[in-house]
Amino acid sequence: MSAQHRKTVLITGCSSGIGRAAARLFQQQGWQVAATQRNPAAEAELNRLPGVICPRLDVTDPASIQSAVAETIAAFGRIDVVVNNAGYALMGAFETHSEAQVRRQFETNVFGLMEVCRGVLPHLRGQRAGTLINVASMVGRIPLPLYSVYNASKFAVEGFSEGLVYELEEFGVQVKLIEPGAVKTNFFGRSSDRANGTGETAYAHYTAEQLSVMDDIGACGSESEDAAAVIWAAANDSSRRMRYSVGTDAKALLFVRRLLPDATFQRMIRLSLSRMAFNSVGRLLYKQA
Ligand SMILES: NC(=O)c1ccc[n+]([C@@H]2O[C@H](COP(=O)([O-])OP(=O)(O)OC[C@H]3O[C@@H](n4cnc5c(N)ncnc54)[C@H](OP(=O)(O)O)[C@@H]3O)[C@@H](O)[C@H]2O)c1
C-alpha cells in the first residue's frame, strides 16, 4: 500500500505497556505510527520499525503536544486515529495523598488527555474524519478502594468522552472508550504513585493488605497485547459503539454491576478483595482466560 493510502495513528505513552503493544500492533497491520513518549531518547526499538516515528509528547506539556502533532502530520500527511493512552494510578487512602499528588493525577489522566484532544481536533475536524480512542478503565465505571483519586480521574475521562461523542459527530469524528480491567504492565509497579507513608496513618493496616491483594490481581491480569487488540478493533469499528472492555474481569464486573443494587454490589467487591476470598475464589474471577 502506498504511504498516501496508509492510515496514521498517534498514540500517547508508548514507552511501555498498553501504548507500546498498540504501537507494535498498528505497525504490524501496516499503519503509520507516531509512538509518542515523554523520553524518546531512551527508545531503541520502535523508532527502528518502518513507518514509525517517536515524537516527544508529555501530556502535561502543551508545547510538546503541538509539536508532536505537527511532526506527525509533516511525516505522514494526516492523522486518522488518536489513542489517548498515557496515564498512571495514584494508589492509597485519599487522606494520605498530598494536594500536589492529587493535582498531578488529574494533570496527567484528565487535563493532559483533554489537551491532546485540543491539539488534534482542529486537524480531525478539518479533514471531517477521525477517531479519538480514550483509554479509561473499568474503574471509570466501577470504583475500587485505594484508587479514589484514580477512579475519579477515569470517571472524568468517561464523562468527557461521552460528551464529545455528540459534539463531534457532525464533523465525522468518532469517540471511543477503552475500559481495561487489570493488565500486567508497569501500572502496578514503576508507574504507580503509592501512599508514601506520610500523613494519616490510621489506614496503614487496611492499605497494606488491600494493596497487596491489588498487586496480586495485577499479576493475574490480561496481557498488554490483549488491550492493544481491543484498541485495534475500536479503531477499525465504524459503528456507533462507544465502550470496549478488556479482560474477563472487566467484562464480568461491568455486567454484574448493571444487575445489582449499590449495596449488594459493594458487598461483593468487599468480599472479592479480601485476602482470604482472593486466595480461594477471587483468583478465578481475576485470572484472565
Ligand atoms: N494496567 C492496568 O491494569 C490498567 C487498567 C486500566 C486502565 N489502564 C490505563 O492504561 C493506560 C496505560 O497504562 P499501562 O497499564 O500500559 O501502564 P504503563 O506500562 O505504566 O504505561 C503508562 C504509559 O504512560 C506514560 N505516561 C505517564 N505519564 C505521562 C505523561 N505525563 N505524558 C506522557 N506519557 C506519560 C508512561 O511514560 P513514562 O515511561 O515516561 O512514565 C508510560 O508510557 C493508562 O491510562 C492506565 O490508566 C491500565
Side-chain angles (χ1 to χ4, degrees), residues 12-20 36-39 57-61 84-89 104-105 107-109 112-113 135-139 147 150 153-154 178-192 218 221-222 224:
T12 64
C14 290
S15 70
S16 68
I18 296 170
R20 194 169 188 82
T36 72
Q37 316 184 8
R38 277 200 283 203
N39 180 21
L57 192 162
D58 179 333
V59 300
T60 64
D61 172 1
N84 272 305
N85 162 76
Y88 74 95
R104 188 173 152 256
Q105 177 76 107
E107 289 297 344
T108 302
N109 290 12
L113 177 145
V135 179
S137 170
M138 175 186 87
V139 307
Y147 281 101
Y150 178 67
S153 75
K154 295 299 188 179
I178 309 297
E179 299 174 329
V183 184
K184 281 182 275 186
T185 65
N186 289 327
F187 178 89
F188 294 94
R190 166 182 77 81
S191 299
S192 67
S222 308
S224 296

Side-chain angles (χ1 to χ4, degrees), residues 6 55 81 161 235 238 253 284:
R6 286 165 69 195
V81 173
S161 305
S238 57
L253 288 171
L284 296 176

